[in-house]
Amino acid sequence: MTVAAQPMAAPGRGAVAPLAGGVALGDGLLGRWQRRNRETTIPHGIERLETEGNLDNLRRLIGESDAPFRGLVFADSDVHKTLEAVAWELGHGEDARLRAFYEEAVALLARVQDDDGYLDSAFQRADREKERWSDLTTGHELYCAGHLIQASIAAKRALDDDRLLAIATRVADLIVRRFGGSAAEGYPGHPEVEYALVELFRLTGRREYLDVARAFVDRRGAGWLGRGGFGSSYYQDDTPVRETAIMRGHAVRALYLNSGVADVYLETGDESLLSALRAQWDDMVTRRSYLTGGTGSRHKDEAFGDAYELPSERAYAETCAGIAAMHWAWRMYVATGELSYGDFFETALYNVVADGISEDGAAFFYSNPLQLRPDHVSGQQESAARRLDWYYCACCPPNLMRTFASIEGYLAAARGNELQLVQYTRARIEAELEGGRVALDVDTDYPLDGRVRISVIEGFPGAALALRVPAWASGHRVSVGGGAVSAELRGGALRLPAVLVAGTVIELELDMPAQVLTGNARIDAVRGAVAVRRGPIVYCLEQADNDVDIDEVEVDPARPLAAGQAATPLGPVLVATGARRAPGGALYSAWQARPEASDRPIALTLRPYATWGNGTAGAMRVWIPASTG
Amino acid sequence: MTVAAQPMAAPGRGAVAPLAGGVALGDGLLGRWQRRNRETTIPHGIERLETEGNLDNLRRLIGESDAPFRGLVFADSDVHKTLEAVAWELGHGEDARLRAFYEEAVALLARVQDDDGYLDSAFQRADREKERWSDLTTGHELYCAGHLIQASIAAKRALDDDRLLAIATRVADLIVRRFGGSAAEGYPGHPEVEYALVELFRLTGRREYLDVARAFVDRRGAGWLGRGGFGSSYYQDDTPVRETAIMRGHAVRALYLNSGVADVYLETGDESLLSALRAQWDDMVTRRSYLTGGTGSRHKDEAFGDAYELPSERAYAETCAGIAAMHWAWRMYVATGELSYGDFFETALYNVVADGISEDGAAFFYSNPLQLRPDHVSGQQESAARRLDWYYCACCPPNLMRTFASIEGYLAAARGNELQLVQYTRARIEAELEGGRVALDVDTDYPLDGRVRISVIEGFPGAALALRVPAWASGHRVSVGGGAVSAELRGGALRLPAVLVAGTVIELELDMPAQVLTGNARIDAVRGAVAVRRGPIVYCLEQADNDVDIDEVEVDPARPLAAGQAATPLGPVLVATGARRAPGGALYSAWQARPEASDRPIALTLRPYATWGNGTAGAMRVWIPASTG
């Protein structure tokens, strides 16, 4: 089998250990997404790095281009993230186009790097706007370094290629010299390097990388970054990490930071970090996240808003924030062994993150609102009305690339002699447990279908299996060798002792009827409305699927939904019968004079949220007014 | 009596004519606001122009300060707007502090002005960032010039002082030379100068000012300003004025532009302009405005959003946009003679604009949301949680100053031999009608009370009176000399022929019970909630007035509201009985499992929206969930 993408190695103190490779996706949804990524998205991205100037920015430093510097100050990070994706994919199998990019980019970075290890084209150029390390608040040098380090780890793990690692290590060594030690000060305005450095520590065993990551975490919260336009909270620099119980500020920054904090915890065992992370996690999932797993509701500062400030129509819910939430969820799971963290991971993956890319794999949403009105007035670069084929601030597309290229790294983990399945998709999973080696074939159409069939290919006596049962499952059944077994569901996990014996077949069946959901009464934006979810898949009304104006309807929440004829990659369309037309009337009117909904029942067609916007452009809404009379 | 503030002269083609002065406020709400403005707000503002560097920016140009340039590129406009307010107030009566500022500022501007008439400290300074007229898109030079012109008109009308007018005329002449004529190109990125130039035409009779204003209107919409960060629509430069039927882009820009377009119409009679304005007005009042008269829902680009995109919690609803909407509403009334335009004017005045200033007159809101959550996360300069005593971008405070200093200019207008009363407050109103002179005393506690008593002091046979009856009035009665008269209500107006005879008393009684309102079904943000309005005054729940958590309650919309004991400057508090506690529950849950409201009835206290935030900081909401069971 191919070498599997494995972004995270087993940490020093995890409750569970990520697998050391050994997972290969089959022809399930995730496998198809990974193939689309390899065949379409990554080649598209490589082309854009050429046309948008990211590669020329590097070439000009060594006299191989006379193009002006283009893009934002963190333009290099798009190269690094693409390189990471390409490295994982070359690990899955050779490809001439991917290989050509890889070789050129690695050689280019090697030649561009300064003698002291510095590597950042925005600050190496003669016409730079600022000096190196002079503006940690907005300069993004450490952010770019983090992505370079993560790319180098992918190259090492997937290809056993040391060349990029040599470059990244010199960058990391420079960071250690510049920012390490108790006398130094400073930390990044955009967190990201923290978890890259911890992973580099895991790969190299060099403790100074962990130490400087920890220092970045420890120093943060002193207000040292300044207030900028949005205040210290934008940078999560208003309160120390250990004293913070809410999610605030720029969402991607907050979520990357928390992933880094989790990784520092996983190597230091500093419980005050885990305790702060648990409080913040609770704040996110109980007060500051969308049904889609999206986070960061505000456009202006791309920030988490107030508790329950979750507007559908202007949900910012950046694609990168969805990916960052997956990173954090995975680390919370590794830190605690609680399989239920996989729930938020899959919610984000199949909704806000999947929404970020078109069905054909070559166009992207930056923001992922839960509603688009007809005649939407955008006027902004990060259009919410249609996926664009690239962005001036192109953080999201290559982030999707590296995510799909390494998604098999998040399916399972090991705990002693127990293999834990966190995400279900068609895959072959091989793992070394404490007592020996196991290999399984997972066969399922999940998340379109709740049935998961696990065939044990190789096992040993005492090898156990744990299965995540998502909170949305309205019921579940499990059988071993054809015989139903009863296992207590605890913390979202079913534990099956000693079942991993060659030849055994374990079957899990999760009930996933379409469910009608309501929001907390404090979410003003969804009051009086309901949403539909089937398994982890959130549904929406799209205008193109419906004849009636979807902004003037209401549904009867008590009526069951039926599966429609049409299928989408994320499940069948659903049909709500007994809906009604509900006219608007005056902008504001006396309550006694409010218009009545029509008596004539109509049928509405719903589709998986992440599949909207692939056809005719038009209105969309996840939350649908509920009839109350 | 004192000379009255009169920002707008009778136009060439208005259906009605603003009065040429002759209005003096008495001790009603508007009179008290005007006194607060004179005694507190303007002196506070003058002090801030000193401490924030606005005056030093001018002084340094003539060697009288060595302070660095401070503030935004349009810092001069704060001086001009304050000067306008001071000129109106000196017209009301002398004051040593106001006079000292006025004399110093006028002398300073005279000395700073260049030989060619140019006057803008941000571009005159040696260390300027850009050359003159090189960036009309963001440079704000024409915007500042417009405010200087308006200040000079106030100085001429209120004080008969030509000094500032001489300065402003030289600026205007430079604008005519630079931008006039069919061969010239360009128009302002921030409209404002258009209506200043038309008014300068009215004052001076010099047609070239009108011509260049018209040229700015005619040229706009060609995309000449560029896309900037938010697209051409941000600047109302996406479509020509005459082809535009929706409100879009930066709200203050859009509303100042439309005021200027109305003024160009009022002098040219170009019906294609009025037709476009009518369509845009209709769009604003039926699809894109808050119950408070606030407009511009988006924070990111301070823009009108999509139709019905009217979130309460992040309503931007800038104070300046409220003022600009008053300017536009007044001009639509003057253009059409339709008194009902006064409805939106008063809605904005008593709600979004009144909210912009503290009860003590020395602190200001920039944005005026309809909801503030507990533990609000701001992180931004334009705090929505408490009024600040000044802003780095200080457009709103001096805009409030000039508004209150000239508010009597918007009470009445003349149409032939008919005097029209548009806004009701305690005042003496003297006017020259076609057939002679009239003088009235208006006695009323409006908007706290719907009774208006008009005593005719001077009149003549045939002098008529028209009275605006607001759309919110659930009933009305009018009497002349103690005898009830029946007059047809048409277009929001009651016409009383030949009643303006000395000694006659006309009494209007408008019914203003507290009303429970609902929003159009397309306003997702207020679905399932109701708001309370009494007369033109919108009410809100403020946490400090209530023991129960105001984010977990619901009211019974069918129950009448009672007046409470406490009074506020805008009316009594109101009490909603039979409300219930409605718990939140999980962030998202099955519709069948939604929590039930408590059975125990509670009472909630509401206060006029504009009075919130003057005591203990805390949560506030205009829209309150309605019980449906």
Side-chain angles (χ1 to χ4, degrees):
Chain A
M1 74 185 298
T2 57
V3 178
Q6 173 230 10
M8 184 177 175
R13 297 161 191 260
V16 298
L19 304 187
V23 181
L25 297 176
D27 186 32
L29 182 61
L30 296 186
R32 290 193 292 275
W33 280 354
Q34 189 166 81
R35 197 164 62 236
R36 177 185 69 188
N37 187 53
R38 175 187 180 92
E39 293 173 358
T40 302
T41 316
I42 297 178
H44 173 83
I46 290 172
E47 189 187 319
R48 286 318 181 100
L49 295 179
E50 201 63 77
T51 58
E52 300 296 309
N54 304 67
L55 292 168
D56 280 345
N57 289 346
L58 293 160
R59 291 186 188 118
R60 70 202 286 265
L61 298 175
I62 49 172
E64 293 184 359
S65 167
D66 52 11
F69 183 87
R70 282 189 283 167
L72 293 163
V73 71
F74 47 90
D76 282 6
S77 66
D78 298 338
V79 177
H80 304 332
K81 284 193 277 191
T82 306
L83 254 180
E84 181 186 339
V86 167
W88 295 129
E89 274 306 331
L90 288 174
H92 292 141
E94 275 300 325
D95 176 278
R97 278 185 303 185
L98 303 190
R99 174 59 69 178
F101 168 78
Y102 178 82
E103 293 297 332
E104 187 195 345
V106 171
L108 191 53
L109 291 170
R111 295 172 62 205
V112 162
Q113 187 167 36
D114 281 352
D115 289 342
D116 67 351
Y118 192 89
L119 204 178
D120 191 319
S121 73
F123 291 84
Q124 287 177 284
R125 59 191 177 114
D127 58 341
R128 59 186 165 267
E129 288 166 7
K130 289 175 180 167
E131 294 307 308
R132 293 174 193 183
W133 313 122
S134 68
D135 178 13
L136 292 190
T137 306
T138 70
H140 286 75
E141 291 158 284
L142 290 165
Y143 170 87
C144 290
H147 280 301
L148 176 60
I149 292 167
Q150 287 173 330
S152 80
I153 291 167
K156 176 64 181 171
R157 292 223 176 103
L159 308 175
D160 199 22
D161 182 349
D162 284 306
R163 291 175 294 165
L164 200 53
L165 187 61
I167 297 167
T169 305
R170 291 177 62 206
V171 170
D173 292 343
L174 174 63
I175 291 170
V176 168
R177 291 196 302 277
R178 176 72 179 70
F179 295 100
S182 57
E185 65 170 10
Y187 41 96
H190 197 312
E192 142 68 21
V193 75
E194 294 84 352
Y195 58 133
L197 284 166
V198 175
E199 201 61 38
L200 189 62
F201 157 69
R202 291 186 187 122
L203 186 70
T204 64
R206 289 179 51 191
R207 187 155 185 99
E208 58 266 38
Y209 302 142
L210 171 61
D211 289 341
V212 74
R214 182 167 54 183
F216 287 152
V217 168
D218 289 346
R219 290 171 196 163
R220 201 169 200 93
W224 181 88
L225 293 164
R227 293 187 47 78
F230 303 123
S232 293
S233 63
Y234 174 80
Y235 303 105
Q236 295 78 44
D237 196 25
D238 51 336
T239 51
V241 166
R242 292 172 180 78
E243 296 166 23
T244 304
I246 65 163
M247 298 302 290
R248 82 290 191 212
H250 187 273
V252 178
R253 281 176 167 80
L255 293 160
Y256 279 174
L257 173 63
N258 285 4
S259 298
V261 171
D263 264 337
V264 170
Y265 162 76
L266 280 164
E267 299 303 335
T268 63
D270 180 345
E271 292 291 337
S272 65
L273 293 177
L274 184 60
S275 161
L277 290 175
R278 280 189 185 274
Q280 291 182 53
W281 181 271
D282 182 65
D283 181 63
M284 179 174 80
V285 300
T286 66
R287 308 202 300 164
R288 276 177 242 259
S289 52
Y290 285 99
L291 189 59
T292 57
T295 53
S297 59
R298 294 185 179 169
H299 270 250
K300 183 161 183 178
D301 47 359
E302 309 177 281
F304 283 94
D306 292 340
Y308 308 103
E309 179 192 322
L310 295 164
S312 295
E313 58 198 339
R314 286 278 285 179
Y316 193 65
E318 185 182 336
T319 305
C320 282
I323 293 170
M326 289 164 57
H327 292 174
W328 184 27
W330 175 254
R331 283 162 181 78
M332 291 302 284
Y333 160 60
V334 172
T336 64
E338 294 167 21
L339 275 157
S340 57
Y341 283 104
D343 287 10
F344 198 90
F345 184 103
E346 76 168 353
T347 297
L349 171 61
Y350 291 119
N351 298 288
V352 66
V353 174
D355 185 59
I357 186 163
S358 60
E359 258 174 42
D360 70 6
F364 312 93
F365 274 138
Y366 195 114
S367 62
N368 300 278
L370 281 73
Q371 177 181 12
L372 191 84
R373 293 179 180 278
D375 306 318
H376 171 66
V377 180
S378 175
Q380 294 175 31
Q381 200 242 2
E382 71 284 5
S383 168
R386 60 190 180 88
R387 294 180 182 85
L388 304 182
D389 64 6
W390 205 249
Y391 287 85
Y392 182 67
C393 177
C395 51
C396 299
N399 219 358
L400 288 161
M401 293 174 207
R402 66 184 188 128
T403 300
F404 291 125
S406 61
I407 194 68
E408 71 268 40
Y410 301 96
L411 300 191
R415 175 181 196 139
N417 274 338
E418 181 179 82
L419 184 74
Q420 303 197 336
L421 285 191
V422 194
Q423 303 298 335
Y424 304 112
T425 194
R426 212 162 271 147
R428 164 69 70 94
I429 298 176
E430 301 175 2
E432 291 292 340
L433 303 180
E434 266 181 19
R437 178 180 168 79
V438 296
L440 333 167
D441 266 335
V442 180
D443 188 21
T444 180
D445 283 325
Y446 192 97
L448 283 70
D449 187 283
R451 288 168 297 182
V452 182
R453 180 186 162 93
I454 299 152
S455 307
V456 185
I457 310 300
E458 187 178 347
F460 62 89
L465 182 66
L467 300 170
R468 179 176 67 92
V469 175
W472 52 253
S474 53
H476 68 274
R477 286 160 298 287
V478 65
S479 70
V480 177
V485 298
S486 93
E488 189 190 0
L489 179 63
R490 188 179 294 180
L494 288 177
R495 296 216 141 82
L496 305 174
V499 294
L500 295 184
V501 179
T504 304
V505 172
I506 301 114
E507 289 182 299
L508 172 68
E509 193 171 348
L510 300 166
D511 292 337
M512 49 167 72
Q515 294 176 311
V516 176
L517 303 177
T518 185
N520 183 298
R522 287 180 179 247
I523 312 176
D524 290 81
V526 304
R527 177 172 301 111
V530 292
V532 173
R533 189 177 60 191
R534 180 178 175 275
I537 307 297
V538 174
Y539 276 67
C540 71
L541 285 180
E542 188 171 9
Q543 187 59 65
D545 295 328
N546 291 279
D547 295 328
V548 63
D549 180 342
I550 64 163
D551 279 320
E552 287 201 349
V553 295
E554 59 183 35
V555 293
D556 179 350
R559 286 230 193 186
L561 290 108
Q565 293 291 320
T568 81
L570 286 167
V573 303
L574 295 171
V575 177
T577 55
R580 307 191 299 179
R581 294 198 60 167
L587 193 59
Y588 306 107
S589 56
W591 178 78
Q592 292 90 341
R594 65 198 182 284
E596 300 252 322
S598 148
D599 277 342
R600 201 155 61 90
I602 53 174
L604 295 171
T605 299
L606 296 94
R607 63 165 49 242
Y609 165 71
T611 71
W612 88 279
N614 281 289
T616 312
M620 178 276 295
R621 56 165 60 236
V622 168
W623 291 91
I624 312 168
S627 54
T628 52
Chain B
M1 72 187 296
T2 58
V3 177
Q6 173 230 12
M8 184 176 176
R13 297 160 190 259
V16 297
L19 304 188
V23 181
L25 297 176
D27 186 33
L29 182 61
L30 296 186
R32 289 193 292 276
W33 280 355
Q34 190 167 81
R35 197 164 62 235
R36 176 184 70 188
N37 187 52
R38 176 187 179 92
E39 293 173 358
T40 302
T41 315
I42 297 178
H44 173 83
I46 289 172
E47 188 188 320
R48 286 319 181 100
L49 294 179
E50 201 62 77
T51 59
E52 299 298 309
N54 303 68
L55 292 168
D56 280 345
N57 289 346
L58 292 159
R59 292 187 187 118
R60 71 200 287 266
L61 298 174
I62 49 173
E64 294 183 358
S65 166
D66 52 10
F69 183 88
R70 282 189 283 166
L72 293 162
V73 71
F74 47 89
D76 282 6
S77 66
D78 299 338
V79 177
H80 304 332
K81 284 193 277 191
T82 306
L83 255 180
E84 181 185 340
V86 166
W88 296 129
E89 274 307 331
L90 288 174
H92 292 142
E94 275 300 324
D95 176 277
R97 277 184 304 184
L98 302 190
R99 174 59 69 177
F101 168 77
Y102 177 81
E103 293 296 332
E104 186 193 347
V106 171
L108 190 53
L109 291 169
R111 295 172 63 205
V112 162
Q113 187 166 36
D114 280 352
D115 289 342
D116 66 352
Y118 192 90
L119 204 179
D120 191 319
S121 73
F123 291 85
Q124 287 176 281
R125 60 191 177 116
D127 56 341
R128 59 186 164 267
E129 287 168 7
K130 290 175 179 166
E131 293 307 309
R132 293 173 193 184
W133 312 123
S134 68
D135 178 12
L136 291 189
T137 306
T138 69
H140 286 75
E141 290 158 285
L142 290 165
Y143 169 87
C144 290
H147 280 301
L148 176 60
I149 292 167
Q150 287 172 329
S152 79
I153 291 168
K156 175 64 181 171
R157 292 221 176 105
L159 308 174
D160 198 24
D161 182 349
D162 284 307
R163 291 174 294 165
L164 200 52
L165 186 62
I167 297 168
T169 305
R170 292 177 62 205
V171 171
D173 291 343
L174 175 62
I175 291 170
V176 168
R177 290 197 301 278
R178 175 74 179 70
F179 295 100
S182 58
E185 65 170 10
Y187 40 96
H190 197 313
E192 142 68 19
V193 75
E194 295 83 352
Y195 57 133
L197 285 166
V198 176
E199 200 61 39
L200 189 62
F201 157 70
R202 291 186 188 125
L203 185 71
T204 64
R206 289 179 52 192
R207 188 157 184 99
E208 59 265 38
Y209 302 142
L210 171 62
D211 289 341
V212 73
R214 182 168 54 183
F216 286 153
V217 167
D218 288 345
R219 291 172 194 162
R220 200 170 201 92
W224 181 88
L225 293 165
R227 294 187 45 77
F230 304 122
S232 293
S233 63
Y234 174 80
Y235 304 105
Q236 296 77 44
D237 196 25
D238 50 337
T239 51
V241 166
R242 292 172 180 79
E243 296 166 23
T244 303
I246 65 163
M247 298 301 290
R248 80 292 191 213
H250 187 271
V252 177
R253 281 175 166 81
L255 293 161
Y256 279 175
L257 173 63
N258 285 5
S259 298
V261 171
D263 264 337
V264 170
Y265 162 77
L266 280 165
E267 299 303 335
T268 64
D270 178 345
E271 292 291 337
S272 66
L273 293 177
L274 184 60
S275 161
L277 290 176
R278 281 188 185 274
Q280 292 182 52
W281 181 271
D282 183 64
D283 180 64
M284 180 174 78
V285 300
T286 66
R287 308 201 301 164
R288 278 176 241 259
S289 53
Y290 286 99
L291 190 59
T292 57
T295 53
S297 60
R298 293 184 180 172
H299 270 251
K300 183 162 182 176
D301 47 0
E302 309 176 281
F304 283 94
D306 292 342
Y308 308 102
E309 179 193 323
L310 295 164
S312 296
E313 59 199 337
R314 287 277 285 178
Y316 193 65
E318 184 182 337
T319 305
C320 283
I323 293 170
M326 288 164 56
H327 293 173
W328 185 27
W330 176 254
R331 283 162 181 76
M332 291 302 283
Y333 160 61
V334 172
T336 64
E338 295 167 22
L339 275 157
S340 58
Y341 283 104
D343 288 10
F344 198 90
F345 184 103
E346 73 168 355
T347 297
L349 172 60
Y350 292 119
N351 297 289
V352 66
V353 174
D355 185 59
I357 186 164
S358 60
E359 259 173 41
D360 69 7
F364 312 92
F365 274 137
Y366 195 113
S367 62
N368 299 277
L370 281 73
Q371 176 181 12
L372 191 84
R373 293 178 179 277
D375 306 317
H376 172 65
V377 180
S378 175
Q380 293 176 30
Q381 200 243 1
E382 71 284 4
S383 167
R386 60 189 179 87
R387 295 179 182 87
L388 304 182
D389 63 7
W390 205 248
Y391 286 85
Y392 181 67
C393 177
C395 51
C396 300
N399 220 357
L400 288 161
M401 293 175 207
R402 66 184 188 127
T403 300
F404 291 125
S406 60
I407 193 69
E408 70 268 39
Y410 301 96
L411 301 191
R415 175 181 194 139
N417 274 336
E418 183 178 79
L419 184 74
Q420 303 198 335
L421 285 191
V422 195
Q423 302 299 333
Y424 302 111
T425 194
R426 209 163 273 147
R428 164 70 69 94
I429 298 176
E430 301 176 2
E432 292 292 341
L433 303 181
E434 268 181 20
R437 178 181 167 79
V438 296
L440 332 167
D441 266 335
V442 180
D443 187 21
T444 179
D445 283 325
Y446 192 96
L448 283 70
D449 188 283
R451 288 169 297 182
V452 182
R453 180 187 162 92
I454 299 153
S455 308
V456 185
I457 310 299
E458 187 178 346
F460 61 90
L465 182 66
L467 299 171
R468 179 177 66 92
V469 176
W472 51 254
S474 52
H476 68 274
R477 285 161 299 287
V478 65
S479 68
V480 177
V485 298
S486 91
E488 189 191 0
L489 179 64
R490 187 178 295 177
L494 288 178
R495 296 215 141 82
L496 306 174
V499 294
L500 295 185
V501 178
T504 305
V505 172
I506 300 114
E507 289 182 299
L508 172 68
E509 192 171 351
L510 300 166
D511 292 337
M512 49 166 70
Q515 294 176 311
V516 176
L517 303 177
T518 185
N520 183 298
R522 287 180 179 246
I523 312 176
D524 291 82
V526 305
R527 177 173 300 113
V530 292
V532 173
R533 189 176 61 190
R534 180 178 174 275
I537 307 297
V538 174
Y539 276 68
C540 71
L541 285 180
E542 189 172 9
Q543 188 59 66
D545 295 327
N546 291 279
D547 295 328
V548 63
D549 181 342
I550 64 164
D551 279 321
E552 287 200 349
V553 295
E554 60 183 36
V555 293
D556 179 349
R559 286 228 193 186
L561 290 108
Q565 294 291 320
T568 82
L570 286 168
V573 303
L574 295 171
V575 178
T577 55
R580 307 191 299 180
R581 296 199 57 166
L587 193 59
Y588 305 107
S589 56
W591 179 78
Q592 293 88 343
R594 65 199 182 284
E596 299 251 323
S598 149
D599 278 341
R600 202 155 61 90
I602 53 175
L604 295 172
T605 299
L606 295 95
R607 64 164 49 243
Y609 167 70
T611 70
W612 88 279
N614 281 289
T616 312
M620 179 276 294
R621 57 164 61 236
V622 167
W623 291 92
I624 312 169
S627 55
T628 52

